[in-house]
Amino acid sequence: TVDAEGRESPSVATMAALNSALQSGIRTPLDEALLVRRPAELAEWEKLDELPFDFERRRVAVLARHGARRLLLVKGAPEEIVRLCSRYEVGAGGAPRALDEAARARAERDLEALGAQGLRVIGVAHRELDRDRATRRDEDGVTLDVFTAFADPPKPGAGQALAALGASGVAVKILTGDAPAVTRHLCEQIGLELRGVLTGAQMDRMDELALAAKVDETTLVCRV
């Protein structure tokens, strides 16, 4: 777990665990990993409201109360979380700093480096609220806390299975919600030859004819 300057930040990971513990959707393996070392202070927080995960926003937000403090905790795809943030925090309780162009570029480089190692990354951000309900507008202008990275290696035998498919004349394409860098690393591990990469954002800008032409020369479709 690292902050926006790439420094280890295990204490702030409690915010990610709190979001995973209180959200009502299906817990993913990443949620379970965050809760392996369940911080004792989670029991002191009361859930007030939730903005559930959806595949357009690619994040989930939970509003929780601890005494008089109300905290909106937002967790999701790291590039989406960075886009929402106007500030970032260094370490636990550090004074927030403006997330300017230089800080955004540094965060993007850190994300790319983590992805190149095959690590799946989640971004976590927060903001203080003065009420017991939250709206999607409250997600804008949050403060970036941490990036939490997870190792998710391929299953044993995946490479051999793909080789057998190839020998039988079956072409394999991957459609995933993961980032391109993470999926490229996976393909290297399992020996899948890459012919091209498309992202959901790129596909949104294509018409049907352009997409049909591109798909034939594409192995990976990421962030969909």
Side-chain angles (χ1 to χ4, degrees):
T1 300
V2 297
D3 62 24
E5 293 191 341
R7 301 173 183 173
E8 287 291 331
S9 183
S11 58
V12 189
T14 299
M15 293 189 176
L18 181 58
N19 177 291
S20 292
L22 296 180
Q23 62 98 15
S24 62
I26 297 173
R27 281 188 184 168
T28 69
L30 300 187
D31 289 314
E32 298 296 345
L34 285 168
L35 293 170
V36 166
R37 297 179 180 177
R38 192 182 184 97
E41 59 263 38
L42 293 189
E44 301 171 4
W45 289 82
E46 174 193 1
K47 179 179 176 180
L48 298 175
D49 200 8
E50 179 177 357
L51 303 173
F53 177 88
D54 66 62
F55 289 98
E56 293 295 327
R57 291 163 49 250
R58 294 193 293 158
R59 58 185 178 270
V60 56
V62 173
L63 179 61
R65 178 169 58 199
H66 184 276
R69 188 184 190 195
R70 295 171 180 83
L71 204 62
L72 183 68
L73 299 157
V74 187
K75 179 177 100 268
E79 64 270 26
E80 285 296 312
I81 299 299
V82 171
R83 184 183 63 79
L84 292 171
C85 292
S86 59
R87 304 186 299 174
Y88 69 97
E89 195 169 277
V90 178
R97 306 175 185 179
L99 190 66
D100 55 19
E101 289 187 13
R104 288 181 186 277
R106 184 169 57 245
E108 290 169 1
R109 288 195 300 270
D110 288 342
L111 290 175
E112 189 70 21
L114 291 168
Q117 300 174 54
L119 299 175
R120 299 177 67 186
V121 183
I122 285 178
V124 182
H126 79 278
R127 76 177 302 171
E128 304 275 353
L129 290 183
D130 58 1
R131 57 189 185 279
D132 292 347
R133 290 291 179 265
T135 70
R136 291 189 179 185
R137 291 183 179 180
D138 294 321
E139 295 177 324
D140 292 325
V142 288
T143 298
L144 177 64
D145 294 307
V146 292
F147 298 126
T148 302
F150 304 83
D152 189 13
K155 292 182 178 180
Q160 294 92 321
L162 290 177
L165 286 170
S168 299
V170 178
V172 174
K173 297 179 184 290
I174 295 179
L175 284 75
T176 177
D178 279 334
V182 177
T183 317
R184 286 193 190 98
H185 186 274
L186 170 68
C187 291
E188 291 173 2
Q189 288 183 298
I190 60 179
L192 180 62
E193 182 180 357
L194 297 184
R195 297 179 55 206
V197 181
L198 269 178
T199 66
Q202 291 171 327
M203 293 170 62
D204 284 341
R205 297 192 293 268
M206 295 179 176
D207 60 28
E208 291 188 11
L209 289 177
L211 181 58
K214 190 70 174 177
V215 162
D216 279 344
E217 57 190 44
T218 297
T219 306
L220 300 184
V221 181
C222 299
R223 287 302 191 205
V224 293

